[in-house]
Amino acid sequence: MTTVTDTPLTTVPSADEIVGRVRDLQPMLAKNSAQGEADRRVVEESITALTDAGAFKIAQPRRYGGYETSMRTMLDVSAAVGEADGGTAWVVTLCNVCAWLTGLFPEQAQDDVWADTPDAKVSGVLSPTSEAVKVEGGFKVTGRWYYNSGSWHASWAVLGIPITNADGEVIDQGLALIPRTDLGFEETWFVAGMKSSGSNCLIATDVFVPEHRIMPVPAAIGGDYATEHTDEILYRSAFVPLLSLVLAGPQLGLGRKALELVTAKADTKAISYTFYTAQSDSVAFQLQIAEAAMLIDTAHLHAYRAADDIDAAAARGVYPDVIARSRVRADTGWVLDHITKAINILVSAHGAGSFGENNPLQRIWRDSNVAARHAVTLPAVNYEVYGKALLGRDDQITPLI
Amino acid sequence: MTTTSDIAPTTESGIDPKRFRDLMARVCAPVTIVTTTDGDGPHGATASSFAALSQDPPLITVAFDRRSALLARIVAAGRFGVNLLHHGQEDLAMRFASRGTGGERFAGTPWHADTGLPRLDDAAGWVTCELYDTVEGGDHLLLIGLVTKACNVERPPLVYANRTFGTHSRFTERPRRPIIDHITACTSD
């Protein structure tokens, strides 16, 4: 790049420093979590504080003042927020991954989003549940996209479309970058967990999207991105692996927090209807704590192995092969499997009090379980993808690898 | 025609009505949910009589029993929508074919208003129609609809034959580009 002088001077903090800033906010984020559930949107105080702390900059290009970090740091930050509140962690995670997606678009599209508004947040949905009509200079898009996490806070959205030719035939699949002001909105997120994530429905009716704000998806799955800035390592990360693994981040924090909460009460909480006056005296309880801790550790080992696979390949400028990419999906499923098992053990060990409305454990249990059902992270599906890849079978079950 | 005529053993043609019904049961039919709306909210009913009629102008037909409550509402509203169901929506077809008010049928069914007509979120196709003409046909009234909007999703269509729901067995062998499967995989829930 010869336009170095155009680049704003961004001081990029270390991952530890960003996580430290988030940790400082944890008491406030946790205090707001019940209100966030009641409102079905993260409390604005939390969003503002996280924005000020740079939590939404970690996957934004440095050209716009972002930190342009790594898959590893995305996990670190999502997990740190997740220790305080699942719904907030989900919003941070999804806005960051959509910022990453925006970083794959041509520079002109990125300018549209960030040149004048460097703090702009982007939400998004990959499913092309829409129609796109080819018109002069772009497409007219009509559709409805459910589950736009962070929709309350985003001013842009990346939304799946079928790409058509002049005859109306579908010739490709794409992501369209559309300003929120062009989109309708319906509140549709009425769920058992991740209530505050604001995963609502965005609606387009004949919205014109210029060519430069359309990104082909199959090409991206194969590692062919539109950004001209091919020197930017983060935007060479593998497409589906990153989209999948990023969703494990909040889970790591939820698991760690559950273990911390249950362990902290163990010396003062009895085991009801037994002679144990402290849970920590019970060998059965000790085994449960050890098992939960090991399951959570296992989740971390796999999450960070996968993150390092993604980061190392991007740094080398190599696009990982199908087996390596499938393994990240399997790793992601493994994280969810083990975190949800660990949390189940912990709520059983802690007892029925886990489910009291004033006990944060019940929210962690609901948030973790609901988030663990996101379609690109489902363990059974992800293991099947990996198994088929290992066996070199030609009956793969999804294009999303 | 009086309401007792359909249980009489003979009709104008003299054939046994049961034989006729059994024959027609073997005819492979599309499964649709036709909807309209008025001051009482959304209304809809399952219909297997949906068919293409004309290309220019784009016309479709769908027939309803004259006693159908929905029919009166469509005629009054002068417009209706047709949801083409996919092979996973047998339960919806049953619900909208059973007794119950519009509200009961729509409760628990994700839908939204599309150009003012109730559209099921997950249907495989969607057509909005202006009521263009009607044709009397025995105990049914044939509605001719002028299509004003048509939307498609690549999903196996729900068909009904021999009183059984399914899709046609060679659907997966249909000619298509690989990108269609790609998109189908990303839109199915």
Side-chain angles (χ1 to χ4, degrees):
Chain A
M1 262 314 102
T2 53
T3 54
V4 180
T5 48
D6 294 342
T7 307
L9 286 174
T10 307
T11 311
V12 175
S14 67
D16 285 348
E17 187 182 339
I18 306 168
V19 169
R21 292 182 200 164
V22 171
R23 288 238 158 86
D24 291 342
L25 299 177
Q26 283 178 343
M28 181 270 292
L29 301 177
K31 171 192 66 108
N32 286 342
S33 51
Q35 188 64 45
E37 287 207 301
D39 297 347
R40 290 187 307 284
R41 64 185 284 173
V42 174
V43 172
E44 217 50 42
E45 179 189 27
S46 301
I47 295 292
T48 304
L50 285 163
T51 303
D52 293 345
F56 290 100
K57 287 185 177 184
I58 58 170
Q60 183 189 30
R62 290 181 195 181
R63 287 175 284 113
Y64 304 102
Y67 297 161
E68 196 179 318
T69 60
S70 61
M71 180 70 244
R72 174 171 269 270
T73 305
M74 290 171 82
L75 287 184
D76 290 342
V77 171
S78 295
V81 181
E83 287 174 352
D85 181 51
T88 311
W90 200 256
V91 169
V92 168
T93 303
L94 271 291
C95 288
N96 282 332
V97 77
C98 290
W100 178 76
L101 283 170
T102 306
L104 305 181
F105 276 75
E107 184 180 60
Q108 192 186 350
Q110 300 183 34
D111 278 347
D112 292 348
V113 177
W114 287 314
D116 298 330
T117 319
D119 273 347
K121 297 177 183 68
V122 184
S123 72
V125 173
L126 180 66
S127 298
T129 49
S130 60
E131 294 183 291
V133 178
K134 182 88 194 81
V135 294
E136 181 71 34
F139 293 87
K140 282 227 165 162
V141 174
T142 299
R144 295 168 68 89
W145 298 264
Y146 291 89
Y147 318 135
N148 285 264
S149 307
S151 59
W152 292 114
H153 316 289
S155 47
W156 286 79
V158 279
L159 300 167
I161 58 165
I163 295 178
T164 51
N165 62 17
D167 294 334
E169 286 175 88
V170 175
I171 53 167
D172 205 351
Q173 180 186 343
L175 273 174
L177 185 55
I178 303 179
R180 178 66 179 74
T181 46
D182 284 358
L183 296 167
F185 173 91
E186 261 178 41
E187 208 184 341
T188 52
W189 187 243
F190 299 92
V191 287
M194 288 292 178
K195 284 177 188 243
S196 65
S197 67
S199 308
N200 292 303
C201 181
L202 292 180
I203 303 155
T205 310
D206 279 335
V207 173
F208 174 71
V209 185
E211 204 85 59
H212 71 273
R213 284 203 256 113
I214 307 279
M215 179 174 81
V217 167
I221 290 172
D224 183 5
Y225 301 147
T227 176
E228 299 87 347
H229 298 274
T230 52
D231 54 325
E232 293 173 345
I233 291 170
L234 180 61
Y235 310 99
R236 300 199 299 231
S237 307
F239 190 75
V240 175
L242 188 140
L243 293 184
S244 178
L245 182 62
V246 81
L247 303 179
Q251 296 282 354
L252 299 175
L254 292 167
R256 297 200 298 248
K257 189 65 181 183
L259 179 64
E260 182 194 314
L261 289 169
V262 172
T263 306
K265 291 278 185 194
D267 288 340
T268 53
K269 197 168 183 300
I271 300 182
S272 301
Y273 302 122
T274 74
F275 296 118
Y276 283 115
T277 53
Q279 291 174 331
S280 55
D281 291 335
S282 155
V283 173
F285 184 86
Q286 293 160 12
L287 294 175
Q288 286 176 303
I289 289 293
E291 187 179 0
M294 293 303 291
L295 289 168
I296 293 165
D297 281 353
T298 299
H300 280 75
L301 292 171
H302 278 272
Y304 282 97
R305 184 266 293 266
D308 291 346
D309 281 354
I310 292 171
D311 289 339
R316 288 202 313 276
V318 174
Y319 202 73
D321 63 18
V322 167
I323 289 186
R325 276 145 51 199
S326 306
R327 191 170 73 173
V328 175
R329 278 197 67 160
D331 278 328
T332 305
W334 198 256
V335 172
L336 271 48
D337 241 353
H338 288 78
I339 292 286
T340 48
K341 274 181 195 155
I343 290 175
N344 254 343
I345 291 169
L346 289 167
V347 296
S348 296
H350 188 69
S354 302
F355 303 107
E357 284 192 358
N358 60 354
N359 189 331
L361 268 178
Q362 50 80 23
R363 186 180 309 111
I364 290 173
W365 176 71
R366 286 184 291 109
D367 286 349
S368 171
N369 269 283
V370 168
R373 272 65 182 191
H374 190 288
V376 291
T377 65
L378 287 173
V381 170
N382 291 12
Y383 302 157
E384 187 175 353
V385 168
Y386 186 41
K388 285 200 195 291
L390 285 173
L391 293 166
R393 292 183 59 104
D394 58 10
D395 57 347
Q396 192 48 270
I397 62 169
T398 173
L400 292 175
I401 294 176
Chain B
M1 189 154 293
T2 67
T3 51
T4 53
S5 62
D6 63 337
I7 47 169
T10 57
T11 66
E12 288 168 41
S13 73
I15 72 143
D16 175 1
K18 183 174 182 305
R19 273 180 173 273
F20 175 61
R21 278 200 302 272
D22 287 349
L23 172 86
M24 291 310 295
R26 294 168 189 234
V27 177
C28 193
V31 187
T32 69
I33 291 176
V34 179
T35 63
T36 193
T37 191
D38 57 24
D40 298 337
H43 307 282
T46 303
S48 56
S49 53
F50 179 77
L53 178 65
S54 156
Q55 296 274 343
D56 186 19
L59 299 177
I60 57 88
T61 60
V62 62
F64 280 97
D65 189 310
R66 283 175 176 280
R67 294 166 301 181
S68 155
L70 182 69
L71 176 65
R73 294 183 193 275
I74 290 174
V75 171
R79 58 199 302 260
F80 59 98
V82 184
N83 295 275
L84 311 183
L85 300 191
H86 68 70
H87 81 311
Q89 294 182 310
E90 180 179 334
D91 54 338
L92 272 186
M94 294 299 291
R95 184 180 319 158
F96 278 80
S98 62
R99 294 192 180 278
T101 66
E104 285 163 1
R105 289 175 178 180
F106 280 90
T109 305
W111 67 278
H112 61 276
D114 184 323
T115 55
L117 290 164
R119 174 175 175 178
L120 306 179
D121 283 357
D122 198 29
W126 167 249
V127 179
T128 63
C129 297
E130 299 297 330
L131 186 55
Y132 186 82
D133 204 352
T134 60
V135 178
E136 295 188 6
D139 59 4
H140 274 54
L141 188 70
L142 186 70
L143 304 179
I144 300 178
L146 174 68
V147 175
T148 53
K149 182 170 185 177
C151 304
N152 260 316
V153 182
E154 275 289 337
R155 305 193 78 166
L158 183 63
V159 297
Y160 187 66
N162 283 317
R163 301 189 174 97
T164 304
F165 290 102
T167 197
H168 60 98
S169 57
R170 297 181 69 182
F171 178 78
T172 54
E173 295 171 32
R174 74 202 186 284
R176 71 220 187 257
R177 291 199 188 83
I179 191 67
I180 297 297
D181 289 338
H182 211 283
I183 286 180
T184 306
C186 293
T187 48
S188 304
D189 45 22

